[in-house]
Amino acid sequence: MFAELSELLGDSVERPPQGKLTLLGATKTDASFLVHHFLSFYLKAGCKVCFLALLQSFSHYSIVAQKLGLSLTSAKERGQLVFLEGLKAAQDVLFSKRQESAEPHPFQFISGDGSNLKGLYDFVRTALSPAVGGDSWNCPVLVVDDLSVLLSLGVKPTDVLDFVHYCRVTVNSQLKGSVVLMVRDSDDSEDEENELLAKALRHQSNRILWAEGLATGFCKDVHGQLTIVRRGSWEEKAERDLQQVYQYKIQDRNVSFFARGMSAAVL
């Protein structure tokens, strides 16, 4: 995890946030560092994590995690991390001769019309439900990278939102855990489905972290801009959302954040 980002968010591994939906977004930039941050943060916090990796392979996330001082392989072996590799799952459904079983495949929806995500939801529910004898993990966490991939597989935005709703009821409400979702903006301005999904999730989220490329173009000392929005809640009687904007620079094993125009290269 990146200590500076945890400090900006007010997060602590001793008391990880619970019952929250965090939306991660990216526009004209690569914001995968946000996914790596939250994955490593919750694992270091001792949480049970279900990771739906729809975009990259396990080896990709594992290599980055090792740079952050974390072994995803060890986390899987001890039962703390349940990892679904979307690329392999799709291949299993489309090209493998699977035997019929009572348990539906999480990616069975791609062999139909893409409207039934029940198998994927059941995978999440089973992965994060407490063991019969109880377990020693902290709150359960669902991390998805990224939901936009489901749209490209033919799933309608309404069906993706239904999936998110059921996951939130189970993870946020029933299990008092957290949900972290990544949605990347399409470069195609006419991609109405992706825009609809992003807008709907913005309204549901408790906090939003949205990365954008610089309007001035590439800069070796400033890689992008991150907007953090904390949504007001009725319980906290917040009158309005709190928004903060930072610029950042991605390094090999860290990400540094600073106020706009306050880069060390500029000063």
Side-chain angles (χ1 to χ4, degrees):
M1 66 179 190
F2 306 118
E4 285 189 36
L5 183 54
S6 292
E7 185 176 348
L8 293 177
L9 296 173
D11 290 346
S12 168
V13 292
E14 286 76 23
R15 297 186 62 183
Q18 295 179 256
K20 303 292 185 182
L21 170 60
T22 300
L23 176 64
L24 313 178
T27 302
K28 297 181 179 180
T29 191
D30 180 14
S32 57
F33 72 91
L34 295 175
V35 175
H36 297 302
H37 166 79
F38 282 99
L39 176 61
S40 60
F41 171 82
Y42 282 112
L43 288 175
K44 289 184 178 181
C47 299
K48 178 69 175 288
V49 178
C50 176
F51 186 20
L52 304 185
L54 308 181
L55 193 65
Q56 299 284 358
S57 65
F58 175 79
S59 59
H60 168 82
Y61 296 102
S62 180
I63 290 172
V64 177
Q66 287 179 345
K67 291 185 177 182
L68 301 179
L70 198 67
S71 172
L72 296 190
T73 302
S74 297
K76 285 180 61 178
E77 292 175 348
R78 61 176 178 263
Q80 184 186 8
L81 173 65
V82 179
F83 191 97
L84 176 65
E85 188 169 333
L87 299 175
K88 284 187 176 180
Q91 183 178 9
D92 289 343
V93 173
L94 294 175
F95 303 110
S96 299
K97 296 180 179 179
R98 298 182 66 251
Q99 299 294 328
E100 293 293 332
S101 64
E103 292 294 329
H105 192 281
F107 262 57
Q108 194 63 46
F109 64 89
I110 65 175
S111 63
D113 61 1
S115 63
N116 189 358
L117 296 178
K118 185 178 184 301
L120 191 59
Y121 163 73
D122 287 340
F123 178 87
V124 173
R125 178 177 54 81
T126 302
L128 295 181
S129 295
V132 177
D135 51 45
S136 59
W137 308 119
N138 288 332
C139 62
V141 178
L142 169 64
V143 181
V144 183
D145 182 26
D146 77 69
L147 279 176
S148 305
V149 173
L150 295 178
L151 298 179
S152 65
L153 292 175
V155 183
K156 297 179 181 178
T158 51
D159 294 320
V160 176
L161 291 172
D162 285 343
F163 168 71
V164 172
H165 169 74
Y166 281 104
C167 288
R168 289 201 66 195
V169 169
T170 300
V171 180
N172 286 154
S173 301
Q174 297 178 0
L175 302 177
K176 307 301 180 185
S178 294
V179 177
V180 180
L181 307 174
M182 166 62 83
V183 177
R184 288 174 172 82
D185 258 3
S186 173
D187 291 334
D188 184 359
S189 59
E190 297 182 357
D191 190 347
E192 296 180 357
E193 290 189 341
N194 198 81
E195 184 178 352
L196 173 63
L197 178 62
K199 285 184 177 180
L201 291 175
R202 279 177 178 268
H203 287 291
Q204 298 182 31
S205 303
N206 300 105
R207 60 182 181 180
I208 303 168
L209 284 75
W210 204 275
E212 300 174 272
L214 296 175
T216 54
F218 174 78
C219 175
K220 67 175 183 179
D221 296 302
V222 182
H223 293 155
Q225 179 171 289
L226 179 67
T227 301
I228 301 175
V229 180
R230 294 179 177 85
R231 308 298 296 272
S233 64
W234 290 104
E235 293 84 356
E236 298 171 353
K237 297 182 179 180
E239 295 182 358
R240 59 181 180 179
D241 300 340
L242 176 62
Q243 177 173 306
Q244 299 168 297
V245 181
Y246 300 93
Q247 290 180 334
Y248 62 86
K249 179 180 180 180
I250 301 175
Q251 300 160 339
D252 186 40
R253 300 173 186 269
N254 192 29
V255 179
S256 57
F257 297 87
F258 38 83
R260 285 179 289 187
M262 299 298 288
S263 167
V266 176
L267 300 177

